[in-house]
Amino acid sequence: MGRGKVELKRIENPTSRQVTFSKRRNGLLKKALELSILCDAEVALLIFSPSGKAYQFASHDMHRTIGRFRDERGLPQSSDQRSRSMEFWRTEIEELKRSIDILETRLKHLAGEDISMLGMKELKQVERQIKIGVERIRSKKRRIISEHSNLMKRKHRALQEENSRLQKRLHELHDSYVRSSISGVNACNAYPSAGFFSMDLTIKHQMMISHQLQY
């Protein structure tokens, strides 16, 4: 049997109302956090207790989210919100500048520059980072050399196979040429004998005719 529908109405007992508020408030804040993490959503939540105490959750900057909401709805920005938004972006820019300065300093240290002010601990840390980087570079080089070597081996094997194929074809052509030459020589040797035999018969016939004329 299904659970019956519960009628929602104001809780009259102040203690029960406060307990329910605390439980539902924490659940709502938890759901807002889960929604922002699981779905990469920009979430802003404002809760005011019956006593007027404010509770809030914002996955990003609360003022920026509110300003985005007002822009989306076509509502004018208040001067206070604009100043807060400008302050937020100014803070973001300053933070990015500091991050860039830190990264540039680290790059100089890895290149061996501006290390005169570093202590032994910092120098060991830089040395460890350089060793890790060198090992990664060497590993990459070994992998590239190995791949290039395997490629050259495959090409060399293919060239050897092609050379063997051409050598075999060349021998076949040579044998065919030799057989053709032998056949031609045998034919030439047979034709001269028949010619000499015919010439000998002609000479004998002429001698017999000459002998008869003399008598």
Side-chain angles (χ1 to χ4, degrees), residues 115-152:
I115 59 175
S116 58
M117 301 300 294
L118 297 181
M120 182 60 67
K121 182 178 179 180
E122 289 81 5
L123 290 173
K124 287 184 177 180
Q125 183 178 2
V126 172
E127 183 181 13
R128 182 168 59 253
Q129 291 175 349
I130 292 175
K131 286 182 179 179
I132 294 174
V134 170
E135 182 58 33
R136 289 175 179 173
I137 292 172
R138 288 176 177 173
S139 176
K140 178 64 175 180
K141 286 176 61 179
R142 287 193 295 267
R143 184 163 61 251
I144 292 175
I145 292 174
S146 177
E147 292 174 355
H148 183 71
S149 177
N150 293 333
L151 178 61
M152 291 296 100

Side-chain angles (χ1 to χ4, degrees), residues 155-171:
K155 288 184 177 181
H156 180 68
R157 186 161 53 249
L159 289 174
Q160 284 183 329
E161 293 175 354
E162 180 67 13
N163 183 60
S164 299
R165 188 184 67 80
L166 292 175
Q167 289 288 346
K168 182 179 179 181
R169 180 59 178 165
L170 181 62
H171 288 313

Side-chain angles (χ1 to χ4, degrees), residues 21 46-55:
F21 172 79
L46 286 172
I47 303 174
F48 291 93
S49 70
S51 61
K53 186 177 180 179
Y55 301 89

